[in-house]
Amino acid sequence: STWGHSTKNLCDSMDATEPLEEQQMRPPFLPVDEPYDYIIVGTGLVETALAGALASAGKRVVHFDANSHYGQAWASLSLKELLEWAQRNESPVIHAPSAEELAAAVHAAEHAPPVPVETDGTVTRARSGLSELEFEFADESLRAELLARSRQFQIDLSPAFVLGRGRFVEALIRSRVSKYLEFKAVEALTVLDPSAGADDPPSFVAVPCSKSDVFASALLSPLEKRALMKFLKPLMTAGPDAASGLAADESSAESDEAGAAELARWAVEPFAEYLRAKGLSAKLQSLVWNALVLADAVASPAQMPCEEAFARVRLHLASVGRYGRTAFLATLCGVGDAVQAYARMAAVLGGVYVLARTPQSIVVADSEIRGVICSAGQFVPAAGLVAAANALPELWTERQGAGTHVVARAVVIAKGSLLEEVAIALHVVPGSQDQSHGPVAVLQSGPGAEVAPAPFFVYQLRTVLPSNAVSSAATARAVLEPLVRRLFRWPSDADESDERPAVAALGFFCHTRGESATTAVAPRGVTVVSDAHGDVDAAIAEAERIFGQLCPGAEFLAPMPTPEEMEWGSGDATDADTAAPATAADAAATAADVAAGNLDATTPSAPPQGAEASPSPGPDASAQPSGASE
């Protein structure tokens, strides 16, 4: 601890809202009148969006989260909640329950008659995707002031500014979930001035994204302006990228067939070659790569094919001007509100939410999922189980593609803005020359974003590390602390002329992300969720991929019915009631399988906790979004 105030000592001085022992003593509170179609573990963005989509398709869903709040790795936490999370994020050892405990839970369930239950007695360690957090305060007076105003802070575990035409925004509009959220346009997109030396005061310059921005930019010479416009023109006329969910503008595409044909010829070539062929200077190449492509990876233009880079730039350009001068929106009160919005959608459509309780054992019969036994000892029958890899037995999952990526993170609470009279901004610092880390994104959120009280700002720094990096707070500190010291003024700095924002509190941690899949030994009915921390569009794409597997042919995140469209108290069967899925019937067959003695139980890697069931997540939010509708 640089300033001598460790997280553990801070947390020990806080009053816990409720002892864990009391949570575990709560009686079961989960209605199980018939088997559920799907049990979903964890309330991250992927899981809640998937729950909303499944509920809108008529599926019976029950959603568990071991935490007492929504969001999991996508949560937005108050300052005290962040420190408490840091303390309990350590991976506990989970023991498989005894055969007697399993039998008692299954025997008590209406859908499973008494039979002997076997367990292999394995011991599993929970595998969290988030490392430990090192958090410090500048001094005792600031510590007291910040903790006294703890509830006025909303600190994202997976911060993100969202593209105006990305999958995330399009899904909010299509599903009508946008009515639960509010946004503000990101006011500025900047890059660290490439002409500034390492010892010079930091200076950020605006990124030109539109034609008027290009010609008004003081950063570029007349020759560079013409070169940049020549580069952007075919990408502007090609229309929004398909990833945004919008079709390309046919008239625009036809007006520049030659440009489109040229882009097609370069599709599989390295992006660096295209940049050089377009005559872009080293400064322009850095600007395009770091601020328009916004590659969230340890890579270079030489390693990315043009097709992927073109798609990123098109989506960025298509998003500019939709809701503001930049391409980005900031979710008021943090990204965690978007998680709760999708959870609310699922709850309105019949989903059941259970906080502070998690599956402790998974019941399997004939190599098929039959349900779970939760940490309160209640058996919950279901035909399908959806969870991240860290909530499933290790033998059931494996990494796919490029494997695991480590993302270094820093959270800085400081007094003042990096840009004068700008509250919400995205700053980009180019990645290291030796590719020890990718570009650093600095997300600045002031009081206008409702994540911090005046005069404080929350700065979220993140950068991707090589796949062999160690996921730890020490790693994040080693990578990001030099930049933090350059951008912000330390309390010990005595120079009163220093106008940099003054650090009040500071934290470092890492998280991992990557694609996961089930292995051949996983029972049927198990679906593993891939990590997408910090990328809201990737999270929605992952939810849509899983939904397509579970409900082929159904509309993903179909529009929520209006109150006028919903039937209240009529007693008549609705479409959702009559659409009894085959999977529920399969789950109901558990009784016969159990009676035949074909019952097995496997212990997932998730800590047993207390219980709280919630028919609808969080307080009702009727505020209309300021930017997510057309």
Side-chain angles (χ1 to χ4, degrees):
S1 175
T2 304
W3 296 322
H5 303 291
S6 69
T7 302
K8 185 177 188 304
N9 293 336
L10 289 168
C11 292
D12 289 345
S13 67
M14 298 177 189
D15 294 329
T17 56
E18 184 176 18
L20 179 61
E21 293 76 9
E22 293 186 14
Q23 295 182 29
Q24 292 174 328
M25 292 176 61
R26 295 179 186 167
F29 186 58
L30 183 62
V32 187
D33 53 344
E34 61 179 288
Y36 289 92
D37 293 309
Y38 296 103
I39 292 172
I40 301 179
V41 182
T43 56
L45 182 56
V46 178
E47 293 88 346
T48 51
L50 178 62
L54 290 172
S56 68
K59 305 299 182 182
R60 285 172 47 83
V61 177
V62 59
H63 209 150
F64 286 95
D65 196 315
N67 299 294
S68 59
H69 57 77
Y70 293 88
Q72 213 171 23
W74 289 88
S76 300
L77 305 177
S78 68
L79 188 53
K80 284 186 178 180
E81 288 173 336
L82 178 70
L83 299 178
E84 292 166 359
W85 166 81
Q87 191 175 42
R88 67 173 180 267
N89 192 46
E90 299 176 359
S91 300
V93 174
I94 307 303
H95 294 270
S98 67
E100 291 76 15
E101 291 170 333
L102 286 177
V106 175
H107 295 174
E110 179 181 349
H111 301 280
V115 294
V117 180
E118 296 181 359
T119 177
D120 59 10
T122 57
V123 177
T124 306
R125 182 172 292 276
R127 294 167 290 141
S128 173
L130 298 166
S131 75
E132 78 282 7
L133 169 70
E134 292 181 359
F135 199 87
E136 309 154 8
F137 292 91
D139 55 44
E140 285 296 328
S141 62
L142 281 169
R143 171 188 176 274
E145 179 182 0
L146 293 178
L147 291 180
R149 306 174 75 177
S150 167
R151 291 178 62 85
Q152 294 178 269
F153 288 93
Q154 291 295 320
I155 300 174
D156 288 329
L157 296 182
S158 295
F161 288 159
V162 302
L163 284 164
R165 289 194 183 273
R167 286 182 183 270
F168 176 78
V169 169
E170 298 300 333
L172 287 176
I173 296 171
R174 181 176 65 253
S175 63
R176 298 175 181 166
V177 170
S178 59
K179 65 183 180 181
Y180 295 132
L181 297 170
E182 286 188 304
F183 297 88
K184 273 198 172 180
V186 174
E187 301 167 53
L189 170 63
T190 73
V191 293
L192 191 65
D193 189 347
S195 64
D199 298 327
D200 295 333
S203 174
F204 288 93
V205 292
V207 175
C209 298
S210 64
K211 185 176 181 179
S212 59
D213 286 344
V214 170
F215 288 112
S217 175
L219 175 66
L220 307 177
S221 68
L223 287 177
E224 287 175 326
K225 292 178 181 180
R226 285 194 290 270
L228 183 57
M229 283 305 304
K230 185 177 179 180
F231 165 79
L232 294 176
K233 184 178 179 181
L235 296 169
M236 287 178 171
T237 57
D241 177 51
S244 70
L246 300 178
D249 187 313
E250 295 182 4
S251 61
S252 297
E254 291 173 359
S255 68
D256 197 5
E257 293 181 2
E262 180 187 21
L263 297 181
R265 288 195 301 271
W266 281 92
V268 297
E269 300 297 325
F271 188 50
E273 296 295 329
Y274 181 79
L275 293 176
R276 282 192 288 268
K278 284 293 184 179
L280 270 63
S281 65
K283 180 169 65 175
L284 282 180
Q285 290 185 36
S286 176
L287 186 70
V288 169
W289 175 250
N290 291 294
L292 297 184
V293 175
L294 283 173
D296 195 8
V298 182
S300 69
Q303 297 169 303
M304 179 178 287
C306 284
E307 185 175 28
E308 181 180 350
F310 292 161
R312 287 176 170 271
V313 176
R314 283 174 181 160
L315 181 56
H316 189 127
L317 296 177
S319 300
V320 172
R322 188 181 193 186
Y323 299 117
R325 291 195 60 185
T326 72
F328 298 95
L329 290 170
T331 308
L332 296 193
C333 302
V335 177
D337 263 24
V339 171
Q340 294 199 49
Y342 279 117
R344 187 173 294 115
M345 173 186 184
V348 167
L349 297 175
V352 177
Y353 277 80
V354 187
L355 298 183
R357 189 186 294 178
T358 187
Q360 181 172 315
S361 295
I362 302 171
V363 179
V364 179
D366 291 336
S367 298
E368 290 187 357
I369 290 294
R370 291 295 189 241
V372 302
I373 299 173
C374 71
S375 52
Q378 183 178 7
F379 174 63
V380 183
L385 174 66
V386 180
N390 61 8
L392 295 170
E394 294 187 27
L395 291 178
W396 289 9
T397 66
E398 62 183 359
R399 284 296 188 184
Q400 298 285 300
T404 300
H405 300 280
V406 178
V407 181
R409 293 282 315 284
V411 179
V412 181
I413 299 175
K415 289 185 177 180
S417 171
L418 285 172
L419 288 180
E420 188 176 356
E421 297 184 356
V422 173
I424 307 172
L426 172 59
H427 313 291
V428 181
V429 179
S432 61
Q433 294 293 330
D434 60 0
Q435 294 193 14
S436 59
H437 64 78
V440 180
V442 182
L443 286 68
Q444 169 185 317
S445 299
E450 298 186 20
V451 298
F456 296 102
F457 285 68
V458 173
Y459 295 89
Q460 297 267 12
L461 285 71
R462 69 164 188 252
T463 185
V464 180
L465 307 181
S467 57
N468 60 352
V470 177
S471 179
S472 69
T475 298
R477 181 185 289 274
V479 172
L480 293 174
E481 187 171 34
L483 178 59
V484 171
R485 288 188 173 274
R486 184 181 178 190
L487 299 181
F488 301 95
R489 177 165 55 88
W490 236 240
S492 57
D493 296 341
D495 186 359
E496 296 183 358
S497 64
D498 193 340
E499 297 181 352
R500 292 176 298 169
V503 173
L506 173 65
F508 295 97
F509 67 100
C510 281
H511 66 70
T512 57
R513 67 184 185 195
E515 298 179 6
S516 300
T518 54
T519 62
V521 301
R524 293 185 296 276
V526 173
T527 303
V528 62
V529 175
S530 294
D531 310 322
H533 303 323
D535 189 336
V536 291
D537 288 337
I540 296 301
E542 173 67 359
E544 186 171 8
R545 180 190 68 81
I546 296 173
F547 179 80
Q549 294 177 352
L550 303 180
C551 302
E555 181 181 2
F556 175 66
L557 287 174
M560 288 182 64
T562 64
E564 293 75 18
E565 294 169 342
M566 298 184 71
E567 297 185 21
W568 301 96
S570 64
D572 297 327
T574 64
D575 291 341
D577 298 327
T578 57
T583 53
D586 293 340
T590 303
D593 294 330
V594 173
N598 300 322
L599 184 65
D600 187 20
T602 305
T603 302
S605 52
Q609 297 204 19
E612 177 175 330
S614 173
S616 62
D620 180 50
S622 59
Q624 295 296 322
S626 60
S629 61
E630 290 187 301

